[in-house]
Amino acid sequence: MLDYGDTWSERAPNFSPTAAPPSPQDPDYEILTEEQVGTSVKYDEKYKYHEKMQLVRLSDRELDMATFAVDAELSQELYARFVQIIESFCMEAYLKRKPLAVKYKTLQAIKDHVTGSNPDLTFHQEIIDVYTVPDFPKGKEEAFLKEVGGPLTLEYRDIHKVCEKIFSDPILWKVTKLNPCIVKRGGERVYTDLYSSDWWIKLQNFQKGGRTSHNACFGRNGDHWKSATASVASIPEISCFILLGNTLRQFRDKSEFGASKLLAYFPYMDSQRDVGPWFAAARRAVFHYCLSRILRPYRKNRLYDIVGPHYRNYACYPALATYTADYPEQCLLAGTKQGPNTNRACPSCITETSNFHLPCSYENNDILRTPAKMIRLYSHGKVLRDNRQKGLSEEMCKKYSVNLVSNAFWTMRPNERFNIYEALVCDDLHQLGGIYTHLLTCIHEMIKEKHDPEAMDEIRNRAASLPPYKEIRRFNNGIFKSDMKNPTNAEMVDNMRILLPCVYDYIPLQAAQCVRGFIDFFIQTTGHEFKESHLDSMDASLADYYKFSSIFEKYSPVS
């Protein structure tokens, strides 16, 4: 069992220094404990590194120094002084004993070791031959190259070496999980991270004892401008990052721990004019071709040797844990059609778009998209098209909202190991935040229709008159989208906290209940720890949002 050791004051939502501490019997304040699932992972101590790696062992104290230097972001001069102080102190403390000899004298060198910035992980460059890309629109090769400005280049690292660099990074040893765990608070199971989920437990049960899995978490970073090497200009490319779910979330999400590594630059493909639907099909085909090249080292269904914590060699089973993306990219990854007018707009299930307001259960496997189902649809559509039954092929694609593109994740064996439809997770910034922005616009339009212009002044005065609260932005100019200039996600979350107190008597009760349901759901789903009762509350809040949302149909910009 492991103790997280968080104090009552850190966990209490409304801490007051004069308030009585909670009862030890209160389950919400019980110590968080873990129970390991499966046998302990085996490793090989005799594994020898390749000569190129030449990793140097660091003492625990020197690792502490390294962590401090990275956290404090010391300059070169300050770090040099820091080293001198430590060495002088050790020399005086131990006198004639063996002093501490710091192996790295510069900040960059220690950062390279601690954060895993390895210059040996070079990028491979590959010129993409669109004539050999599967499912690329026939006869459109020259037109496509003309639209994108010439040949496309994919730059990528060896995914196995990148995973190994993260997995073996000394600064992450103590926060890396090799086994899934059942986590409890007060005797009740809670879900805190990937290692405490049923997904990892099920994956572990498929393996023999003593094996571990490294669980890849992907994310892309939109348009990333990378300096071109051949000219002074810059070229837009899409950067792809990888993390390992074995690293605890509170550490893998912080840049100073180096748990997120740049994996690849996808070629940027865009057209300045409307050239027809074939261009989107060409982009999808090239994207999945590039992704298949990146994933190629992990195609085979076998165990992979990988260096991990404490420089030990582990037998690992790679698996796709999550892929974080906004909605358009989720559809691109899943090979599905998108938009409110699409018959089945969800990239993870085949629920009809018109039924999105109805509750559904993801325990119902019949509604889930799976690699096997999607491969059957793809194969059937290809047969119809090859037999010159284009109309039937398009009808099938429209019915199930699929695009005929060979998905990169289907090349992995078995397909369920890299199930992209299960791995897609909601992006709270673009998707949940986008819904809230949409609601805010609907509320604004509703109030303008039902009330005089003075109502807006009153709402603005209410927002400006609220007492100040620490770390909550003030909205003196108004709370609606038109009153804010490029608000951040954090600012929109602050907006949620004050919206209903400012507008509750200017909107119908049904509208207030709808907004309350969504805000409750947003706050609950962006938490860090979930009990079964919390998950039930999230379902109830989402059901309330759907139940009352029809009142905004008239004011929705897309209705």
Side-chain angles (χ1 to χ4, degrees):
M1 298 234 179
L2 298 179
D3 177 11
Y4 270 33
D6 47 350
T7 63
W8 168 60
S9 61
E10 291 172 336
R11 295 194 305 269
N14 297 305
F15 172 69
S16 172
T18 60
S23 169
Q25 286 74 35
D26 187 346
D28 289 335
Y29 296 93
E30 290 284 347
I31 292 175
L32 203 66
T33 60
E34 297 177 1
E35 299 175 4
Q36 180 177 299
V37 176
T39 58
S40 297
V41 173
K42 298 177 182 178
Y43 54 85
D44 182 5
E45 287 278 18
K46 297 181 179 180
Y47 181 78
K48 295 182 179 180
Y49 283 96
H50 296 290
E51 294 182 359
K52 292 182 179 179
M53 300 187 72
Q54 295 180 348
L55 292 181
V56 180
R57 289 181 178 271
L58 301 180
S59 66
D60 288 342
R61 299 288 74 79
E62 194 165 0
L63 280 174
D64 291 340
M65 289 173 52
T67 304
F68 172 81
V70 175
D71 288 346
E73 297 184 354
L74 298 180
S75 65
Q76 301 286 356
E77 180 181 358
L78 288 176
Y79 182 73
R81 288 174 55 193
F82 177 58
V83 170
Q84 291 176 1
I85 292 171
I86 295 297
E87 287 186 327
S88 299
F89 173 81
C90 293
M91 191 69 82
E92 293 178 3
Y94 288 94
L95 297 176
K96 295 182 179 181
R97 297 182 182 183
K98 184 179 180 180
L100 171 66
V102 178
K103 297 179 179 65
Y104 297 106
K105 306 297 184 181
T106 65
L107 177 62
Q108 189 58 50
I110 200 69
K111 276 189 174 183
D112 286 344
H113 185 95
V114 175
T115 65
S117 303
N118 190 344
D120 292 336
L121 293 177
T122 56
F123 281 90
H124 305 283
Q125 290 190 346
E126 179 179 332
I127 304 297
I128 300 171
D129 183 2
V130 296
Y131 289 91
T132 62
V133 172
D135 298 315
F136 194 93
K138 299 299 182 184
K140 296 295 184 179
E141 293 85 358
E142 291 296 331
F144 179 78
L145 292 175
K146 182 179 179 181
E147 288 296 327
V148 299
L152 300 173
T153 302
L154 169 66
E155 297 183 56
Y156 63 99
R157 287 168 161 170
D158 186 310
I159 187 173
H160 182 67
K161 291 183 179 179
V162 174
C163 289
E164 186 173 59
K165 193 59 186 175
I166 302 173
F167 201 46
S168 62
D169 195 335
I171 202 172
L172 301 175
W173 288 352
K174 295 181 180 179
V175 294
T176 295
K177 293 291 184 179
L178 301 178
N179 287 84
C181 297
I182 293 177
V183 180
K184 295 182 179 180
R185 188 186 292 281
E188 184 178 355
R189 185 177 179 184
V190 296
Y191 303 92
T192 60
D193 202 348
L194 185 64
Y195 77 97
S196 62
S197 68
D198 287 337
W199 176 86
W200 193 350
I201 293 176
K202 292 177 182 178
L203 182 65
Q204 188 78 9
N205 290 337
F206 279 113
Q207 304 176 52
K208 295 181 180 180
R211 311 299 188 188
T212 188
S213 59
H214 65 267
N215 309 308
C217 304
F218 289 90
R220 291 213 299 164
N221 198 29
D223 296 353
H224 182 88
W225 290 85
K226 185 173 74 72
S227 297
T229 56
S231 64
V232 181
S234 294
I235 56 175
E237 293 181 310
I238 309 297
S239 53
C240 178
F241 294 84
I242 186 170
L243 306 92
L244 293 186
N246 305 65
T247 306
L248 296 179
R249 178 175 57 186
Q250 61 265 40
F251 298 97
R252 70 173 179 262
D253 291 343
K254 293 183 178 180
S255 59
E256 59 263 32
F257 287 95
S260 173
K261 298 296 182 200
L262 179 61
L263 180 62
Y265 290 108
F266 285 79
Y268 187 82
M269 299 169 285
D270 200 5
S271 176
Q272 301 300 321
R273 58 195 183 95
D274 184 9
V275 292
W278 66 265
F279 187 81
R283 289 180 59 185
R284 286 192 295 269
V286 172
F287 172 80
H288 279 280
Y289 173 81
C290 293
L291 192 56
S292 68
R293 299 294 295 169
I294 296 170
L295 297 175
R296 189 174 183 178
Y298 284 153
R299 283 184 182 178
K300 295 181 180 180
N301 180 27
R302 65 177 179 85
L303 295 171
Y304 292 79
D305 287 339
I306 187 170
V307 179
H310 306 285
Y311 304 115
R312 295 164 177 165
N313 188 43
Y314 297 84
C316 276
Y317 191 67
L320 177 62
T322 63
Y323 201 125
T324 304
D326 57 17
Y327 174 68
E329 188 180 353
Q330 287 187 357
C331 293
L332 174 64
L333 290 160
T336 59
K337 298 182 183 296
Q338 67 181 71
N341 298 322
T342 304
N343 191 32
R344 304 173 194 269
C346 178
S348 298
C349 73
I350 57 174
T351 303
E352 293 187 4
T353 308
S354 58
N355 292 331
F356 275 5
H357 63 290
L358 300 177
C360 68
S361 173
Y362 279 92
E363 296 179 358
N364 179 8
N365 292 328
D366 293 338
I367 69 169
L368 298 181
R369 296 187 191 269
T370 64
K373 292 177 183 177
M374 296 296 284
I375 290 173
R376 286 198 297 269
L377 289 172
Y378 168 78
S379 300
H380 184 58
K382 289 276 288 184
V383 169
L384 291 175
R385 193 171 62 182
D386 293 343
N387 290 333
R388 299 183 179 181
Q389 294 178 302
K390 185 178 179 180
L392 291 176
S393 177
E394 292 178 348
E395 183 179 342
M396 185 212 70
C397 292
K398 181 178 180 180
K399 179 179 179 180
Y400 294 99
S401 299
V402 297
N403 293 305
L404 293 185
V405 59
S406 180
N407 197 298
F409 295 100
W410 298 345
T411 63
M412 316 302 285
R413 296 291 182 270
N415 298 136
E416 290 72 18
R417 183 166 58 98
F418 275 68
N419 184 349
I420 183 60
Y421 312 100
E422 181 183 45
L424 291 173
V425 293
C426 181
D427 182 344
D428 59 351
L429 172 61
H430 296 97
Q431 290 173 270
L432 293 183
I435 294 174
Y436 179 70
T437 302
H438 189 85
L439 280 176
L440 207 57
T441 301
C442 293
I443 294 171
H444 192 190
E445 295 299 321
M446 177 182 287
I447 294 175
K448 287 197 299 184
E449 179 188 85
K450 295 180 178 295
H451 299 278
D452 295 332
E454 289 76 12
M456 292 300 172
D457 295 332
E458 173 61 22
I459 293 172
R460 187 178 296 108
N461 290 335
R462 288 180 180 181
S465 301
L466 289 174
Y469 288 90
K470 185 179 179 181
E471 297 180 356
I472 296 182
R473 176 190 164 176
R474 296 187 61 81
F475 295 87
N476 295 329
N477 296 325
I479 61 173
F480 295 109
K481 184 179 178 181
S482 58
D483 301 321
M484 297 178 283
K485 183 177 180 181
N486 298 325
T488 64
N489 184 55
E491 290 171 342
M492 294 307 291
V493 172
D494 290 344
N495 187 280
M496 290 184 193
R497 301 180 182 184
I498 69 168
L499 175 64
L500 284 177
C502 293
V503 303
Y504 73 97
D505 53 346
Y506 285 100
I507 59 177
L509 177 60
Q510 181 178 343
Q513 289 174 309
C514 175
V515 175
R516 173 63 186 270
F518 177 80
I519 293 176
D520 285 349
F521 175 76
F522 182 93
I523 293 173
Q524 291 162 345
T525 197
T526 52
H528 297 290
E529 182 180 308
F530 305 94
K531 295 182 178 181
E532 290 290 347
S533 57
H534 297 158
L535 300 178
D536 292 339
S537 297
M538 288 167 56
D539 288 339
S541 298
L542 191 59
D544 286 343
Y545 165 72
Y546 281 129
K547 178 181 178 181
F548 300 116
S549 61
S550 59
I551 194 171
F552 289 119
E553 288 184 6
K554 176 182 176 181
Y555 306 97
S556 175
V558 297
S559 61

